[in-house]
Amino acid sequence: MAQRKECIAMLLAGGQGSRLGSLTHNIAKPAVSFGGKYRIIDFGLSNCSNSGIDTVGVLTQYKPFKLNTYISMGAPWDLDVMSGGLSILPPYVGESGGTWYEGTANAVYQNMDFISTYNPDYVLIISGDHIYHMNYGHMLDFHKANKADLTIAAVEVTKREATQLGIITADETGRIKKFTEKPKVPDSSLASMGVYIFSWPVLQKALIEDEADPESEKDFGKNVIPRLLAQKKRLFTYTFKGYWKDVGTLESYYNANMELLLENPRFDIFSSGLRICSNEETLPPHFISPKARVRNSLISNGCVILGAVENSILAQGVYVAEGAVVENSILLQKSRVGSESWVHKTILGEGANIGAYCSVGIASSDKGGRQSGITLIEENAVIAEETMISEGSNILADKEETL
């Protein structure tokens, strides 16, 4: 029999991430590289480890092979313990059948047996596609102090951002009075981070009721939370003061990476107090040749730089040939840039190869020479020599295009 746990975590990692374009054609969104050394899921798993939560169920669904291989048994995050640890939870077929996860709430509903195994007092539910440092223990203390049924972590956002998030209206004690998913006209600037702590009996009953509702979309924000509010349950908001970023769109993903290069970045990946763990392979140190030029960039292990790199992030094993120039770009694992090529404001997918004498990210003529769009080249794409690619293009792996 499994050891009883006070609090376990359920990490939602099954999303397709269609708004990230070809970055997620072949892998789940939480497996996408971030900051050169990491993958997006590292942050949620590291937060659990840093918070003393040693039992985590990772709910996977969309193209999970690379993600499953990456997280494995959870050793890099100290989640390979005998009682508890990390468990990968894909959809499955039981005696009464089975279906794909239909929504965030349904995904957890289908794994209530896993939760019941540990008979926890509290269940932490988090998303696998957000960038932030957080000690969930502080939030759990807040939940207990308020005798809450549900506590939702929230951050202050701009009015523009508020229309894309779940917005909370709370009183002066923090008790939630209203929750609106992606409102057209927000009445608050307090947005849900998608981090929930439920008292387990409340969550169990709510999931059963939601599953029985034929009109429900099986979603926490759209269905479960409004139902609990209507039932007058004790819902509180825990205001988080640190950095938090939803990297679900290509623009937000690019901007979050580029913010790491600021002189005083809001999110510090070098923080000694809150470690970020990773399961990336160990490679030799990076090499920068005497003729190379590197300025304001993050360079990961195994990179070979013979050309120029400026204001860019290079993941592990990237090769930049002599005479090549890389600017304002994110180059993912083991991608290559050929000699005398120019790459600007581009996300180069894992294993992609840009040939010699290419120009990638050229400003469109109708914009007066100003670059604005993000160019995206899919993993393992091969770009032929002397190819010209306009800014904002999306190049797939099975095509060699001149745009």
Side-chain angles (χ1 to χ4, degrees):
M1 184 176 179
Q3 178 184 341
R4 186 178 182 279
K5 302 287 183 177
E6 180 187 32
C7 182
I8 71 169
M10 302 294 278
L11 192 155
L12 302 168
Q16 179 178 349
S18 57
R19 293 181 299 167
L20 285 175
S22 59
L23 275 181
T24 53
H25 273 180
N26 299 307
I27 61 174
K29 180 165 55 172
V32 172
S33 176
F34 183 86
K37 179 178 173 58
Y38 307 103
R39 294 185 184 271
I40 295 172
I41 197 170
D42 285 333
F43 298 90
L45 292 176
S46 296
N47 286 338
C48 287
S49 179
N50 293 332
S51 304
I53 296 174
D54 66 359
T55 303
V56 181
V58 180
L59 286 64
T60 64
Q61 178 163 275
Y62 173 78
K63 295 192 175 180
F65 175 73
K66 182 172 284 190
L67 180 61
N68 291 354
T69 302
Y70 179 73
I71 60 180
S72 186
M73 300 298 292
W77 306 274
D78 296 331
L79 293 172
D80 55 342
V81 299
M82 290 295 293
S83 179
L86 187 148
S87 299
I88 297 173
L89 304 173
Y92 64 92
V93 176
E95 291 181 358
S96 58
T99 63
W100 294 109
Y101 295 147
E102 298 176 33
T104 54
N106 176 258
V108 178
Y109 170 84
Q110 289 197 39
N111 289 284
M112 286 201 302
D113 285 348
F114 171 83
I115 301 174
S116 296
T117 299
Y118 298 97
N119 190 27
D121 296 317
Y122 309 102
V123 179
L124 167 71
I125 298 174
I126 58 178
S127 297
D129 54 2
H130 298 156
I131 307 299
Y132 63 115
H133 285 310
M134 185 175 182
N135 188 329
Y136 301 129
H138 297 160
M139 182 177 171
L140 181 57
D141 290 341
F142 178 88
H143 180 86
K144 293 176 185 176
N146 285 285
K147 297 181 173 57
D149 295 311
L150 164 62
T151 299
I152 304 174
V155 291
E156 292 283 349
V157 297
T158 65
K159 289 184 177 180
R160 180 187 175 197
E161 292 171 323
T163 60
Q164 302 301 313
L165 298 166
I167 297 302
I168 296 168
T169 304
D171 64 19
E172 63 279 1
T173 70
R175 186 156 182 176
I176 298 173
K177 299 300 182 182
K178 182 180 176 183
F179 184 94
T180 312
E181 190 71 19
K182 298 181 180 179
K184 291 183 178 179
V185 183
D187 57 7
S188 166
S189 60
L190 203 58
S192 168
M193 295 167 58
V195 176
Y196 312 125
I197 292 181
F198 283 90
S199 295
W200 169 226
V202 174
L203 175 61
Q204 189 174 31
K205 183 174 182 290
L207 291 175
I208 292 171
E209 289 176 351
D210 185 65
E211 192 65 23
D213 181 0
E215 302 299 320
S216 174
E217 297 180 52
K218 310 297 187 278
D219 183 84
F220 280 109
K222 295 177 182 177
N223 309 111
V224 173
I225 295 172
R227 181 179 286 112
L228 290 175
L229 280 172
Q231 294 172 350
K232 308 298 183 183
K233 296 294 185 182
R234 291 180 62 81
L235 274 62
F236 283 81
T237 181
Y238 174 80
T239 303
F240 180 64
K241 299 297 185 181
Y243 178 93
W244 175 85
K245 181 77 78 171
D246 181 342
V247 290
T249 67
L250 195 62
E251 183 178 6
S252 64
Y253 171 80
Y254 177 85
N255 290 340
N257 272 276
M258 289 295 112
E259 285 174 0
L260 300 176
L261 302 176
L262 297 176
E263 185 174 352
N264 295 299
R266 291 175 57 209
F267 185 71
D268 183 9
I269 61 172
F270 300 104
S271 171
S272 58
L274 293 167
R275 61 184 182 139
I276 308 167
C277 304
S278 172
N279 196 25
E280 284 292 358
E281 62 180 304
T282 301
L283 293 173
H286 62 260
F287 171 75
I288 301 175
S289 79
K291 295 182 180 180
R293 177 172 56 85
V294 178
R295 182 174 177 273
N296 194 43
S297 298
L298 295 179
I299 310 297
S300 302
N301 287 354
C303 291
V304 175
I305 303 174
L306 309 180
V309 177
E310 183 170 349
N311 202 48
S312 296
I313 296 173
L314 275 57
Q316 299 191 57
V318 170
Y319 180 86
V320 178
E322 187 172 349
V325 176
V326 176
E327 301 172 336
N328 305 303
S329 295
I330 303 167
L331 277 52
L332 303 189
Q333 286 84 343
K334 298 181 180 178
S335 56
R336 299 176 65 89
V337 178
S339 60
E340 304 299 330
S341 287
W342 178 78
V343 178
H344 178 86
K345 202 173 182 181
T346 295
I347 300 173
L348 187 58
E350 297 186 30
N353 191 336
I354 294 176
Y357 303 101
C358 292
S359 293
V360 180
I362 303 170
S364 301
S365 58
D366 60 352
K367 293 183 180 179
R370 293 180 290 107
Q371 280 89 4
S372 58
I374 301 165
T375 302
L376 177 59
I377 298 179
E378 190 180 22
E379 63 176 312
N380 298 319
V382 177
I383 307 300
E385 291 186 3
E386 301 182 358
T387 299
M388 313 289 281
I389 298 177
S390 298
E391 53 94 17
S393 299
N394 188 355
I395 307 299
L396 303 181
D398 57 352
K399 296 180 181 179
E400 294 184 355
E401 301 190 24
T402 301
L403 298 175

